[in-house]
């Protein structure tokens, strides 16, 4: 069990603190220098720490249930990062665990929803051996109740094996489904593959080869599909994993190598549901990330959720991020990252069912807006130099390219323009605009003598005909 | 000052609307500085102006997402009323030529922004008339996977068209006949014959132009269809048979469209060609995407929104969609494919709307697997999973779904039932079959395109 945060459980009842005590006690028992008496004492400490953690978790579950019965909608998160894989054939990762850590930091300290605050966070982490120590920012330590405990500057999650993930999923869903208006956020970062749908690889996953079969793969699409008849009404899955496939995978005769985390239940669909899978890769594509930081998709996802993914509507003092605006913002982020990193980055979405558009979180200060700029006719794109002026700063596109330019601006009053070489027969143009999130499209009309002449000729022709 | 209520309007004019977008209900959003945006539908026509009332003076952004995923936005400022004015308007021109990005088509999107794509097809015939296309024909690689062949009964499709088909009139809508292998015992001897059932097809198949990655060795092929055209000359019924195959011209011809290549009746039966291994698998063909034009822009638009994930746009257009669906189903015999597309769209944004109509789609069209699949899911969502299996089973017996969305839903529906009824061997078997088909299908493609993993 790795419920590490629950609303209202602070101080001595902070779940992360109790969890860390339990983990430390457990680690202490593995110290080979202990005498048998010390070992016995250490085992007792483990039992005590576990009992204390379990008791507080039970209290937290009850409190969350009461909050749900009282009609207070909440957001419940399950965060999984897999870097270590027990089968040697599957390469270890570091970026995925950083992704899970960043998502946790965001949801604990910067997630904002006035009507649906954070209710609980469940964490599973399988660190690779190369993983650097996770130094939580002080604000996160404070939120977790670990401040004032210098012995706990980091946090360890439960190992992200299939069985642990399934158990955590069931607990998370039980918590989330206590109120129809709750939101359930599922975050996974680790290896993934594609075999007619995306499959996720927990720590103990195995990929079939000539000698062994598939083991412990998560069928995330079926998991989401099977949730059509269970609350809550907002079900969001953020998956930062590859969707690689190979001919070996395709030719493997096992048509369905994974298992869903939620089993099938014969019950009518819930009346309102907004269910989405946001993925950091595309079919047959990879998810990319630096070895020392969160994957690009997670970086962009978090930026969208706290800076740029608003739907353009200001409600009171905040901007809201909806499932729909997040789709648009991530689409822009994907193109922006692709050009920036010069890699085949392509995020994707798989909408489940959507009978309404849910707001996922709110943004206090809208600090970035994605802008897409292109020329018309588009063939002039590769001849011109595109730029944007925002807040007195001029940003140029690195190189002329034939496709649209996605960029970010930090001020809403902007000017987009295109310039051509002085010897060119084309004339540059500009357009002022007020950038609105999640993505502001700007079209620049390029004038060329040829186009102008054609227009004049057709005008004359029309005149002659009439 | 008059006591009459002041009104503030934005006049939205749509210009340069391509033929592919004409008359579709396009969802637009008018976003002010604060508060909920105003949502409306514009029935797209060239130089058409629609007036939308807004809350008050101020800066507004009119924006829309096209079915292709392309976005258009224009800002405007609505001034405050002066003196005795009771109405004030500002104007916005939405220029749809902005969507002209035919040189860069997003594989995940629809095809509407390609201005050329709706041009009349030129059908490559196998006779001398279109000789330059013969090289394409030589490269064709239809489905020839015995696994599917044996168990999933690939569909041979015979088309019945009204009137002799001059080339430009050739359309794929209408009633078609599907032939499936069937066996009887005749005097103790097992014989095989071809059983005919009617079916429908979208009337045009489209392969988008895209950048070809020649290193990609995966090969996707569209659903194989063998077509026999029949014609009616005057009143006399004169069947004219020839078969054809939907093909994807491989990588040297990336801009070609998927089409039905008619071949004259004297050519050997396709099954014989397959068994002879007459087609060579092209190892460097790019992944195939096949799109269709059903002939109904509204349902196509909404289906494109479903595929690209713009489900809020589908919901916005839902009332229009339901009206159209009603009309479509009234005329269902003419083209149930339109109804299928509408039903796919509704399934994503609704749980129960017009379930009886969808039941008709499943029951009345024996030749369309898609209707049975959609209705199977409606039953699951109604908590009647025990009734859903018969429809999924029916769908499997009808052949491959026309749309890959159906392949996905069939797989997921049967997997759901398999978990629910783990002791039922029939469901287990069918779930395996559906997953197998899905594994071989390019789910990126709109139309069902099947991969050929085996070399015969």
């Amino acid at each position: 069990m790795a419920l590490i945060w629950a609303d209202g459980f602070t101080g001595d009842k902070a779940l992360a603190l109790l969890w860390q005590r339990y983990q430390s006690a457990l680690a202490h028992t593995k110290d080979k220098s202990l005498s048998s008496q010390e070992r016995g004492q250490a085992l007792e400490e483990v039992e005590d720490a576990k009992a204390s953690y379990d008791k507080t978790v039970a209290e937290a579950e009850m409190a969350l249930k009461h909050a749900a019965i009282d009609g207070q909608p909440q957001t419940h998160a399950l965060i999984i990062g897999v870097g270590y894989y027990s089968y040697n054939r599957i390469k270890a990762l570091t970026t995925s665990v950083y992704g899970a850590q960043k998502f946790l930091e965001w949801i604990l300290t910067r997630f904002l929803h006035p009507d649906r605050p954070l209710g609980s966070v469940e964490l599973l982490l399988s660190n690779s051996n190369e993983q650097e120590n996770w130094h939580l920012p002080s604000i996160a330590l404070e939120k977790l109740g670990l401040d004032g405990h210098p012995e706990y500057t980091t946090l360890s999650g439960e190992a992200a094996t299939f069985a642990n993930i399934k158990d955590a999923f069931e607990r998370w869903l039980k918590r989330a489904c206590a109120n129809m208006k709750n939101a359930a956020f599922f975050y996974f970062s680790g290896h993934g593959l594609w075999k007619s749908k995306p499959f996720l690889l927990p720590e103990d996953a195995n990929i079939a080869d000539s000698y062994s079969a598939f083991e412990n793969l998560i069928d995330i699409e079926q998991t989401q599909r099977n949730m059509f008849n269970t609350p809550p009404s907002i079900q969001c899955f953020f998956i930062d994993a590859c969707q690689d496939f190979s001919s070996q995978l395709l030719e493997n005769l096992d048509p369905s190598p994974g298992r869903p985390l939620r089993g099938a239940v014969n019950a009518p669909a819930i009346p309102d549901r907004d269910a989405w899978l946001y993925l950091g890769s595309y079919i047959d594509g990879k998810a990319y990330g630096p070895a020392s930081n969160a994957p690009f998709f997670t970086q962009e996802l978090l930026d969208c959720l706290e800076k740029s993914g608003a739907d353009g509507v200001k409600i009171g003092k905040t901007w809201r991020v909806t499932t729909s605006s997040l789709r648009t913002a991530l689409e822009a982020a994907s193109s922006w990252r692709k050009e920036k990193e010069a890699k085949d980055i392509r995020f994707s979405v798989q909408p489940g069912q959507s009978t309404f558009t849910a707001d996922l979180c709110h943004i206090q200060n809208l600090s970035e807006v994605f802008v897409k700029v292109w020329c018309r006719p588009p063939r002039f794109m590769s001849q011109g130099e595109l730029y944007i002026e925002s807040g007195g700063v001029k940003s140029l596109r690195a190189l002329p390219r034939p496709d649209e330019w996605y960029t970010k601006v930090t001020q809403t009053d902007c000017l987009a323009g295109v310039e051509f070489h002085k010897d060119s027969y084309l004339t540059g143009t500009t357009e002022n605009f007020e950038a609105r999130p999640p993505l502001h499209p700007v079209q620049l009309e390029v004038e060329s003598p040829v186009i102008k002449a054609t227009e004049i000729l057709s005008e004359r022709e029309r005149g002659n005909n009439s | 000052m008059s006591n009459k209520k002041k009104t503030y309007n934005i006049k939205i004019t749509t210009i340069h609307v391509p033929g592919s977008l004409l008359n579709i209900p396009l969802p637009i959003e008018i976003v002010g500085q604060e508060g909920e945006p105003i949502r409306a539908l514009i029935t797209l026509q060239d130089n058409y102006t629609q007036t939308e009332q807004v809350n008050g003076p101020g800066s507004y952004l009119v924006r829309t997402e096209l079915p292709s995923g392309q976005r258009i936005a224009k800002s405007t400022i609505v001034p405050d009323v002066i003196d005795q004015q009771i109405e004030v308007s500002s104007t916005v021109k939405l220029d749809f030529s902005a969507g002209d990005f035919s040189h860069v088509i997003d594989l995940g999107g629809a095809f509407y922004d390609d201005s050329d794509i709706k041009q009349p097809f030129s059908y490559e015939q196998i006779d001398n008339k279109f000789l330059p296309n013969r090289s394409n024909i030589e490269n064709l690689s239809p489905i020839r996977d015995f696994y599917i062949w044996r168990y999933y009964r690939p569909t041979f499709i015979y088309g019945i068209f009204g009137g002799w088909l001059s080339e430009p009139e050739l359309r794929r809508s209408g009633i078609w006949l599907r032939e499936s292998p069937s066996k009887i015992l005749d005097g103790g001897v097992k014989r095989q014959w071809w059983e005919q059932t009617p079916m429908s097809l979208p009337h045009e198949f489209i392969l988008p132009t895209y950048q070809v990655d020649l290193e990609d060795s995966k090969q996707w092929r569209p659903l194989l269809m063998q077509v026999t055209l029949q014609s009616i000359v005057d009143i006399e019924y004169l069947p004219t048979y020839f078969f054809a195959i939907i093909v994807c011209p491989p990588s040297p011809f990336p801009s070609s469209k998927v089409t039905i290549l008619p071949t004259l009746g004297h050519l050997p039966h396709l099954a014989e060609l397959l068994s002879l291994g007459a087609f060579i698998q092209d190892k460097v063909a790019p992944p195939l995407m096949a799109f269709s034009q059903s002939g109904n822009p509204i349902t196509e638009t909404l289906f494109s929104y479903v595929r690209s994930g713009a489900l809020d746009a589908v919901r916005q257009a839902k009332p229009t969609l339901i009206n159209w669906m009603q009309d479509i189903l009234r005329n269902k015999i003419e083209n149930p494919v339109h109804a299928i597309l509408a039903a796919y769209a509704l399934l994503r944004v609704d749980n129960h709307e017009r379930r009886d109509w969808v039941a008709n789609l499943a029951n009345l069209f024996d030749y369309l697997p898609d209707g049975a699949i959609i209705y199977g899911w409606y039953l699951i969502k109604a908590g009647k999973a025990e009734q859903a299996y018969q429809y999924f089973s029916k769908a499997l017996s009808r052949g491959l779904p026309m749309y890959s969305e159906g392949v996905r839903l069939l797989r997921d529906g049967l997997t759901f039932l398999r978990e629910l009824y783990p002791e039922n061997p029939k469901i287990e078997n069918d779930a395996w079959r559906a997953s197998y088909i899905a594994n071989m299908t390019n789910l990126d493609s709109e139309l069902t395109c099947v991969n050929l993993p085996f070399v015969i």
Side-chain angles (χ1 to χ4, degrees):
Chain A
M1 182 171 289
L3 183 66
I4 52 117
W5 190 87
D7 184 32
F9 282 71
T10 55
D12 288 346
K13 293 204 166 190
L15 294 171
L17 179 65
L18 298 170
W19 173 258
Q20 282 306 107
R21 277 185 187 151
Y22 167 45
Q23 293 299 301
S24 297
L26 206 58
H28 187 49
T29 60
K30 289 170 187 163
D31 184 348
K32 288 179 180 170
S33 66
L34 294 180
S35 67
S36 55
Q37 191 186 351
E38 285 169 334
R39 189 174 302 280
Q41 197 180 339
L43 286 169
E44 272 178 29
E45 281 170 13
V46 169
E47 278 181 22
D48 289 348
K50 185 170 188 313
S52 175
Y53 172 73
D54 287 347
K55 182 171 165 269
T56 314
V57 166
E59 283 174 31
E61 299 280 17
M62 193 56 74
L64 292 168
K65 197 173 174 183
H66 282 148
I69 292 167
D70 293 343
Q72 170 60 60
Q74 290 179 316
T75 301
H76 297 277
L78 169 55
I79 303 168
I80 302 160
V82 192
Y84 167 73
Y85 283 90
S86 50
Y87 282 85
N88 288 336
R89 285 192 304 116
I90 306 175
K91 201 180 148 194
L93 294 169
T94 50
T95 185
S96 52
V97 175
Y98 293 125
Q101 292 169 350
K102 294 283 179 204
F103 193 89
L104 176 83
E105 288 172 19
W106 167 75
I107 206 154
L108 280 175
T109 60
R110 303 190 300 278
F111 168 76
L112 174 70
H113 198 297
D115 304 323
R116 202 189 313 113
L118 189 62
S120 71
V121 181
E122 187 115 21
L123 177 72
L124 293 99
L125 286 179
S126 289
N127 290 352
S128 73
N129 296 331
E130 291 83 41
Q131 205 80 45
E132 284 176 18
N133 281 338
W134 179 19
H135 295 293
L136 281 153
S138 55
I139 186 169
L141 286 170
E142 189 183 332
K143 183 96 179 184
L144 289 164
L146 296 174
D147 54 327
H149 296 273
E151 69 277 27
Y152 305 130
T153 54
T154 189
L155 185 65
S156 53
E158 196 176 23
T161 60
F162 185 90
N164 285 348
I165 292 173
K166 192 164 190 323
D167 288 348
F169 185 93
E170 281 165 12
R171 292 192 301 270
W172 163 75
L173 189 57
K174 194 176 170 191
R175 248 172 257 138
C177 80
N179 186 328
M180 187 63 86
K181 291 181 179 172
N182 279 348
F185 289 179
F186 178 100
Y187 173 90
F188 175 93
S189 186
H191 278 304
L193 58 85
W194 170 268
K195 188 170 164 64
S196 96
K197 50 177 146 176
F199 289 95
L200 312 182
L201 275 61
E203 179 189 312
D204 52 351
N206 186 36
I207 303 172
D209 60 7
S210 313
Y211 308 102
S212 57
F214 287 109
E215 274 177 52
N216 297 321
L217 268 57
I218 297 170
D219 183 343
I220 200 66
E221 201 177 296
Q222 192 71 35
T223 301
Q224 193 205 43
R225 190 82 85 179
N226 288 355
M227 286 170 68
F228 71 91
N229 52 14
T230 183
S233 54
I234 303 165
Q235 304 168 1
C236 276
F237 291 73
F238 306 107
I239 307 297
D240 205 338
C242 298
Q243 296 183 65
D244 272 340
F245 69 72
S246 61
S247 55
Q248 190 189 6
L249 267 179
L250 279 174
E251 286 166 18
N252 184 289
L253 284 176
D254 188 349
S256 183
R259 287 173 285 160
L261 296 170
R262 153 101 178 159
V265 176
N266 190 7
I270 56 172
D272 294 313
R273 181 172 178 237
D274 197 18
W276 290 78
L277 262 178
Y278 298 94
L279 298 126
S281 59
Y282 198 77
I283 297 174
D284 193 19
K286 287 185 185 302
Y288 295 92
S292 56
N293 199 351
F296 297 132
F297 171 72
T298 300
Q299 291 183 32
E300 291 305 323
L301 171 70
L302 297 180
D303 273 358
C304 290
L305 290 170
E306 67 174 305
K307 290 181 191 167
S308 58
D311 71 347
V313 179
K314 199 172 184 187
I315 307 290
K317 288 181 177 173
T318 58
W319 301 76
R320 66 181 179 199
V321 180
T322 66
T323 47
S324 172
S325 68
L326 182 62
R327 174 185 79 93
T328 307
L330 281 173
E331 182 190 307
S334 175
S335 299
W336 181 75
R337 269 286 175 178
K338 182 180 178 177
E339 192 166 332
K340 188 177 173 216
E341 307 292 338
K343 285 185 188 303
D344 187 24
I345 293 171
R346 193 171 172 196
F347 309 153
S348 59
V349 291
Q350 279 192 28
Q353 195 189 19
S354 179
T355 61
F356 73 107
T357 300
D359 56 335
L360 298 174
C361 60
H362 287 213
I363 296 176
Q364 196 98 48
N365 299 308
L366 185 75
S367 51
E368 283 177 354
V369 179
F370 278 107
V371 177
K372 179 170 86 168
V373 188
W374 74 96
C375 298
R376 202 176 71 90
R379 64 177 180 276
F380 297 145
M381 290 280 290
S382 50
Q383 299 171 40
E385 194 171 53
L386 291 174
Y387 63 91
I388 281 198
E389 284 179 21
S390 158
V393 179
K394 187 174 181 179
S395 323
L396 293 159
R397 190 178 203 180
L399 283 170
R401 289 165 58 107
D403 50 352
E404 301 106 320
W405 181 35
Y406 287 84
T407 186
K408 287 178 183 178
V409 294
T410 51
Q411 303 285 322
T412 52
D413 289 328
C414 304
L415 178 135
V418 59
E419 283 170 359
F420 295 95
H421 191 270
K422 60 179 171 43
D423 297 336
S424 170
Y425 64 100
L426 299 168
T427 316
T429 183
T430 59
E431 178 148 335
N432 285 299
F433 63 96
E434 187 190 342
R436 290 285 187 99
L439 172 63
H440 195 103
V442 182
Q443 177 184 293
L444 299 168
E445 300 279 349
V446 177
E447 282 192 8
S448 96
V450 179
I451 295 174
K452 214 157 195 176
T454 315
E455 279 172 4
I456 292 166
L457 282 174
S458 359
E459 196 69 30
R460 277 189 194 157
E461 205 167 289
R462 272 201 294 274
N464 288 341
N465 288 341
S466 63
Chain B
M1 195 78 175
S2 165
N3 289 332
K4 286 186 184 174
K5 196 184 169 194
K6 300 169 191 171
T7 54
Y8 301 89
N9 298 320
I10 297 179
K11 291 183 175 173
I12 303 160
T13 304
T14 50
I15 58 169
H16 299 138
V17 177
S20 56
L21 290 173
L22 279 176
N23 298 318
I24 70 156
L26 189 78
I28 58 157
E29 265 190 349
I30 303 170
V31 190
Q33 289 295 330
E34 290 220 347
E36 291 291 336
I38 294 158
R39 293 190 168 87
L41 285 177
I42 290 186
T43 302
L44 281 182
Q45 284 163 21
D46 211 11
N47 284 316
Y48 167 76
T49 300
Q50 182 166 317
T51 304
E52 292 295 329
Q53 196 174 333
V54 292
N55 299 329
S59 161
Y60 289 89
L61 181 75
V62 180
R63 66 187 182 189
T64 184
E65 180 177 344
L66 300 184
S68 61
Q70 192 69 256
R71 288 175 174 82
I72 299 175
K74 281 282 168 194
S75 304
T76 187
I77 292 173
V78 178
D80 206 349
V81 290
I82 44 168
D83 300 332
Q84 296 302 308
Q85 262 186 311
I86 55 162
E87 187 177 327
V88 63
S89 299
S90 76
T91 55
V92 157
K93 274 188 181 174
L94 291 182
D95 184 349
F96 286 82
S97 60
D100 180 15
F101 257 73
S102 53
H103 66 300
V104 193
I105 289 183
D106 185 344
L107 289 181
F111 48 83
Y112 288 98
D113 286 345
D114 187 340
S115 52
D116 293 333
I117 214 98
K118 285 276 185 179
Q119 298 302 312
F121 261 30
S122 69
Y123 295 103
E124 298 105 323
Q125 293 198 14
I126 206 164
D127 58 21
N128 290 338
K129 198 172 172 187
F130 296 101
L131 194 58
N133 285 325
R134 188 170 285 278
S135 55
N136 293 22
I137 295 160
E138 286 166 2
N139 279 297
L140 60 89
S141 309
I143 293 167
R144 52 202 167 81
D145 173 21
F146 280 130
Y147 223 92
I148 284 191
W149 175 251
R150 214 183 295 147
Y151 295 109
Y152 306 132
R153 299 207 281 174
T155 52
F156 289 90
I157 299 153
Y158 289 73
I160 304 171
F161 295 89
W164 176 246
L165 296 164
S166 64
E167 197 187 311
E169 291 166 358
L170 186 59
R171 289 288 180 269
R172 277 121 182 102
S173 56
I175 304 297
W176 296 61
L177 296 176
R178 186 187 74 199
E179 274 205 342
S180 305
S182 189
K183 285 176 180 174
I184 52 162
L185 278 178
D186 180 10
V189 181
K190 217 181 231 182
R191 288 185 188 282
Q192 181 169 305
W193 87 101
W194 299 93
E195 193 176 65
Q196 290 193 344
T197 49
M199 75 174 287
S200 298
L201 290 176
H203 76 264
E204 288 179 356
F205 295 85
I206 295 154
L207 239 196
T209 307
Y210 58 99
Q211 282 146 13
V212 180
D213 179 5
L214 287 176
E215 288 172 10
D216 194 332
S217 62
K218 289 172 290 294
Q219 186 184 20
W220 299 96
R221 288 293 175 244
L223 179 60
L224 169 67
M225 293 176 185
Q226 182 181 345
V227 178
T228 297
L229 301 179
Q230 296 178 321
S231 62
I232 299 169
V233 178
D234 296 330
I235 303 169
E236 198 179 356
Y237 181 71
L238 293 172
T240 308
Y241 293 98
F242 59 99
F243 72 77
I245 310 156
I246 296 175
V247 297
C248 162
S251 51
F253 310 97
S255 61
S256 301
K257 287 159 181 163
V258 172
T259 185
I260 291 179
L261 298 177
T263 59
L264 297 176
H266 63 266
L267 286 176
H269 192 279
L270 183 65
E272 290 172 44
L273 289 176
L274 294 178
S275 63
L276 289 170
F279 301 111
I280 309 300
Q281 196 169 25
D282 178 7
K283 292 285 183 193
V284 293
L288 177 68
M289 313 273 291
F291 297 100
S292 74
Q293 292 175 338
S294 72
N296 182 322
I298 293 176
T299 47
E300 279 169 14
T301 299
L302 294 171
F303 189 58
S304 295
Y305 280 134
V306 165
R307 284 177 50 78
S308 65
L311 298 185
D312 45 351
V314 180
R315 279 199 310 276
Q316 207 175 325
K318 198 169 91 176
T320 312
L321 179 64
I322 289 170
N323 287 340
W324 269 89
M325 195 172 169
Q326 194 155 14
D327 290 346
I328 289 162
L329 282 163
R330 279 195 197 122
N331 303 314
K332 52 190 170 278
I333 303 301
E334 284 178 22
N335 200 332
V337 173
H338 300 159
I340 289 288
L341 288 176
Y344 274 129
L346 274 183
L347 184 68
R348 282 294 182 100
V349 297
D350 207 296
N351 285 326
H352 46 73
E353 194 75 66
R354 307 297 188 269
R355 195 182 300 151
D356 48 341
W357 295 355
V358 183
N360 284 345
L361 273 183
N363 293 320
L364 297 180
F365 305 105
D366 280 346
Y367 46 89
L368 269 177
D370 303 61
I373 296 165
I374 297 167
Y375 189 57
W377 262 104
Y378 266 87
L379 288 168
I380 287 177
K381 285 186 173 182
K384 297 174 181 169
E386 67 283 356
Q387 296 173 28
Y389 173 61
Q390 60 171 308
Y391 286 94
F392 292 139
S393 173
K394 201 180 270 187
L396 270 175
S397 71
R398 289 174 180 174
L400 295 173
M402 185 182 299
Y403 291 92
S404 64
E405 178 75 0
V407 174
R408 194 191 287 264
L409 287 171
L410 180 67
R411 174 200 63 196
D412 292 351
L414 280 163
T415 306
F416 178 84
L417 294 181
R418 182 182 62 186
E419 287 170 29
L420 210 54
Y421 307 108
E423 305 300 322
N424 188 324
K426 279 187 183 170
I427 293 179
E428 170 74 31
N429 188 41
D430 282 351
W432 191 91
R433 291 167 66 194
S435 292
Y436 189 85
I437 293 170
N439 274 338
M440 304 209 340
T441 302
N442 179 9
L443 295 172
D444 246 4
S445 172
E446 183 184 293
L447 288 178
T448 303
C449 291
V450 182
N451 179 276
L452 300 172
F454 306 111
V455 179
I456 298 166

